[in-house]
Amino acid sequence: MMKTSLLAISAALLLLSFTKIPDYQDFYVKNIAELNAAIGSASPGDEIIMANGEWKNVQIKFVGYGTEEHPITLKAETAGKVFISGVSDLKFGGDYLVVSGLYFTNGYSPSDAVVEFAINKDTVANHSKLTNSVILDYNKPQKNQTDLWVLFHGRHNELEGCYIAGKANRGPTVRIDLAGNHSIKNYHKITNNYFGPRPPKGGPSAETIQLGNSYTSMAPSYTLVQHNFFDRCNGEVEVISSKTNFNEFRNNVFYKSEGSVVTRHGNYCIIDGNYFIGDKNSEQIGGVRLIGTGHWVTNNYFFDLKGDTFRSPLAIMNGIKKSPLNRYIQVTDVVVAYNSYIDCSPWQFSVGSNVDQKDILPASEIRSERPIRTIVANNLIYNDKGVEQVVIAHDSLDGIDFESNIINNQGVSFDKISGIEAEDFSISELEENVWIPSADLSSPELYNGFEFDLIKKDLFGNSREEKNEVGAVVGKPAEKLNLMDLSQYGPDWYSPNSANDYVPKTYSVSSTSKLVSTLQKAKNGDTIVLTSSKYKLKTSLKIDKMLTIRSADVNNKAIIQYNGAP
């Protein structure tokens, strides 16, 4: 017995002596040449560390093949201290690649995207991630020039924990591309990001997220958009435009964003557990607009949304008969259930109906196909001030089944619709922008439709199986929500709160020394006004932040003259 044990131990020791422990490398690089060399040499588990400082006019092609256990990582020496500026971009190609801690600012992309999960059509990225990074005001020189800031190809890629704000030129901020077999059924993830203010562009092509396009709209995507904060994303009428099948939008906050989540093309989307926070002084802020088949809209919270028609809190559109891919497919087999609407404008159905124009428009443009086989059930409406219409119908409602919805309309009579019943209940403020029923709502009897048993939790994650009620909420959350705590989103080194709270300053400088010192202390968004006619420099100026530098007199422009070494 002892001899057997000794033989086993000897064999194990012999095996260990021939087992090579992986020798992972760290490559510390200070310029683009060193970076390219490191990328060419990197193996699974290796890390490439970019030196702190400004990396200007660099086109980074990160090609490598890591593994699930040992990805190849490209990261900043200190997160947030590697500035990608000038005419620069980043492209991924390969498998299991991670990029972390970069700060894109004071520049623009020379290509179609700032960050792209592909090198070319034959080399795409899979299982790769951009994380803990910032893209801020990284716009093309002209507003009518088109690009994207993050462009997905391949499969199983992620945009996670990033701060992305200030896109002002044409093109969606983020887009999922499904062209080619390598990019369908992609299971991409867009999670835990802060999408900051985007100014109104006027017209289309300014979505914050676009998933596919009309020509690939019948392809399955399975993209997950979860736990992101959309802060005043006002680019256009569609904050998110879903144009593929089987996408999910869960637990996001849409804060005063002048648009809606829209199932523009494609089918079978899940929109669950999201917060839509509006502004009673704006009629541009919407909720959810539905086109297509098989969508489920559940457990969502809508507050202070005053949008109309296409920007309504709930807008369900008419479709076009035998619609081409780029128009409007009829709404069928949709469920809108267990949502709460607090102080919102009316629901609207058959939005976009233009049957009255059938004599002047071609048949291919007539939106005559009403929603059918659509269930609107177990929803809660509370109006602080009563309204005469809780539903606006632009066509017949014969395809809509209203079941067990309740409304407190403050005793004001409204156009009666079977399945929407007046109920006297009160609400209380849980925290800023979040109001819930003050007491349990035992009536009416809930509608139990097909697969409604799969709606197992409420907005806060409480179980619906033991106790269930109308609306998005069946009880208080287990922990404080802190819904407006922006530190929950984006990078761990860049705070949306500090960016939003900072009031930009204007500095007047009259000498070269003051110009240099002011550049060092100024912050993103500040303005430096040049009050003298000439500034002579012997050393170059390092500008690593977003600043406006202008002459005090627009008719007599100041001159910055460099007399140092070339």
Side-chain angles (χ1 to χ4, degrees):
M1 185 66 135
M2 184 174 290
K3 287 182 179 180
T4 304
S5 299
L6 288 171
L7 284 171
I9 292 169
S10 299
L13 290 172
L14 183 63
L15 179 63
L16 284 172
S17 68
F18 285 102
T19 302
K20 183 179 179 181
I21 298 173
D23 184 19
Y24 304 128
Q25 296 187 65
D26 287 349
F27 298 89
Y28 183 79
V29 297
K30 300 184 292 295
N31 55 55
I32 189 65
E34 293 180 0
L35 174 58
N36 289 336
I39 290 171
S41 301
S43 299
D46 290 349
E47 288 192 346
I48 303 169
I49 302 166
M50 297 175 68
N52 289 346
E54 183 178 23
W55 291 66
K56 189 172 184 179
N57 299 334
V58 292
Q59 283 80 61
I60 303 171
K61 294 185 178 180
F62 185 23
V63 181
Y65 295 88
T67 66
E68 183 175 3
E69 296 81 10
H70 306 294
I72 301 172
T73 301
L74 172 63
K75 68 178 187 178
E77 179 182 2
T78 304
K81 297 298 183 181
V82 171
F83 300 94
I84 310 297
S85 65
V87 185
S88 301
D89 60 9
L90 165 67
K91 296 182 185 295
F92 292 77
D95 297 328
Y96 295 102
L97 307 174
V98 177
V99 174
S100 178
L102 303 187
Y103 191 165
F104 291 84
T105 186
N106 196 30
Y108 63 93
S109 170
S111 62
D112 292 336
V114 178
V115 176
E116 185 170 4
F117 286 90
I119 304 296
N120 52 48
K121 66 182 181 66
D122 297 317
T123 305
V124 301
N126 300 291
H127 300 282
S128 296
K129 178 191 294 189
L130 176 68
T131 184
N132 204 31
S133 297
V134 166
I135 307 176
L136 178 63
D137 299 330
Y138 211 73
N139 292 299
K140 295 277 192 182
Q142 302 295 326
K143 282 191 174 184
N144 60 352
Q145 292 181 300
T146 301
D147 73 348
L148 303 113
W149 282 7
V150 181
L151 176 56
F152 282 81
H153 303 272
R155 293 182 173 180
H156 299 282
N157 296 316
E158 294 184 48
L159 176 67
E160 187 270 335
C162 292
Y163 178 103
I164 300 176
K167 193 174 195 301
N169 63 307
R170 181 180 173 86
T173 306
V174 177
R175 189 171 77 197
I176 309 292
D177 194 326
L178 280 84
N181 287 338
H182 51 241
S183 294
I184 63 172
K185 293 184 291 186
N186 52 65
Y187 295 94
H188 295 315
K189 293 181 180 180
I190 301 172
T191 59
N192 302 300
N193 302 287
Y194 171 86
F195 292 99
R198 178 166 186 178
K201 173 188 160 290
S205 195
E207 302 95 330
T208 295
I209 298 178
Q210 182 190 75
L211 293 86
N213 59 46
S214 57
Y215 302 104
T216 58
S217 60
M218 293 298 104
S221 182
Y222 298 101
T223 292
L224 173 65
V225 180
Q226 180 170 276
H227 198 249
N228 302 282
F229 196 98
F230 296 83
D231 187 355
R232 291 162 289 169
C233 295
N234 301 338
E236 62 143 279
V237 68
E238 299 179 13
V239 178
I240 294 180
S241 184
S242 181
K243 297 184 175 183
T244 46
N245 292 335
F246 304 109
N247 298 313
E248 298 186 20
F249 308 94
R250 296 182 180 273
N251 311 119
N252 303 285
V253 178
F254 298 88
Y255 179 72
K256 296 187 178 182
S257 292
E258 294 184 345
S260 302
V261 173
V262 182
T263 60
R264 182 64 183 86
H265 302 302
N267 306 300
Y268 307 108
C269 287
I270 294 173
I271 304 173
D272 180 82
N274 302 281
Y275 298 82
F276 296 82
I277 311 298
D279 184 339
K280 63 183 62 179
N281 297 315
S282 173
E283 296 182 356
Q284 306 302 314
I285 301 170
V288 172
R289 177 157 56 98
L290 299 175
I291 302 131
T293 293
H295 309 301
W296 282 63
V297 181
T298 54
N299 290 320
N300 300 286
Y301 173 83
F302 304 84
F303 174 63
D304 249 354
L305 305 183
K306 303 302 182 184
D308 191 23
T309 57
F310 288 80
R311 299 177 192 255
S312 302
L314 174 63
I316 298 184
M317 293 196 65
N318 263 18
I320 293 172
K321 191 173 184 178
K322 297 181 179 179
S323 174
L325 288 176
N326 65 335
R327 300 308 292 148
Y328 294 89
I329 296 174
Q330 184 180 21
V331 172
T332 67
D333 306 295
V334 160
V335 171
V336 180
Y338 292 114
N339 302 285
S340 292
Y341 297 84
I342 310 298
D343 287 336
C344 292
S345 50
W347 298 339
Q348 300 208 17
F349 295 85
S350 292
V351 171
S353 174
N354 58 357
V355 178
D356 57 343
Q357 301 179 55
K358 63 182 180 181
D359 295 332
I360 57 175
L361 290 176
S364 60
E365 289 297 322
I366 300 300
R367 293 189 288 268
S368 60
E369 303 306 291
R370 300 188 295 274
I372 59 173
R373 301 191 301 275
T374 291
I375 298 171
V376 180
N378 304 336
N379 298 288
L380 177 148
I381 304 172
Y382 181 93
N383 292 327
D384 186 51
K385 294 182 179 179
V387 297
E388 294 181 358
Q389 286 183 296
V390 298
V391 168
I392 294 176
H394 301 269
D395 206 329
S396 171
L397 293 172
D398 55 358
I400 310 295
D401 184 10
F402 295 95
E403 298 283 351
S404 300
N405 303 282
I406 67 169
I407 178 173
N408 184 339
N409 201 42
Q410 306 303 327
V412 176
S413 297
F414 58 92
D415 294 340
K416 295 295 184 182
I417 293 177
S418 178
I420 303 179
E421 302 297 330
E423 183 87 9
D424 185 15
F425 62 92
S426 61
I427 59 174
S428 58
E429 189 173 23
L430 182 65
E431 64 178 50
E432 182 184 5
N433 295 317
V434 181
W435 294 77
I436 64 174
S438 301
D440 292 349
L441 296 172
S442 56
S443 61
E445 183 178 348
L446 295 174
Y447 176 76
N448 187 22
F450 178 71
E451 290 192 333
F452 273 43
D453 58 311
L454 299 180
I455 311 173
K456 296 182 181 298
K457 295 185 178 181
D458 75 348
L459 174 68
F460 302 143
N462 298 315
S463 174
R464 288 189 179 275
E465 295 181 276
E466 298 176 3
K467 170 191 171 185
N468 205 359
E469 296 180 5
V470 297
V473 173
V474 299
K476 292 183 178 180
E479 299 178 358
K480 187 172 174 59
L481 290 178
N482 294 318
L483 191 68
M484 300 304 297
D485 177 8
L486 301 186
S487 66
Q488 301 177 75
Y489 311 91
D492 57 19
W493 54 269
Y494 190 95
S495 170
N497 275 318
S498 61
N500 290 337
D501 293 343
Y502 179 68
V503 178
K505 297 179 180 178
T506 299
Y507 299 92
S508 295
V509 298
S510 57
S511 66
T512 301
S513 60
K514 272 196 169 184
L515 175 58
V516 173
S517 62
T518 301
L519 280 171
Q520 292 175 346
K521 69 179 180 180
K523 296 182 179 180
N524 279 312
D526 287 348
T527 298
I528 297 175
V529 179
L530 306 178
T531 58
S532 296
S533 59
K534 185 175 287 189
Y535 299 78
K536 295 182 179 181
L537 299 172
K538 292 183 179 180
T539 58
S540 59
L541 293 174
K542 182 178 180 181
I543 302 176
D544 57 2
K545 60 203 79 174
M546 291 295 298
L547 301 172
T548 299
I549 303 175
R550 62 176 177 84
S551 301
D553 186 346
V554 294
N555 296 317
N556 296 293
K557 295 183 179 179
I559 297 172
I560 299 177
Q561 182 176 324
Y562 178 70
N563 296 323

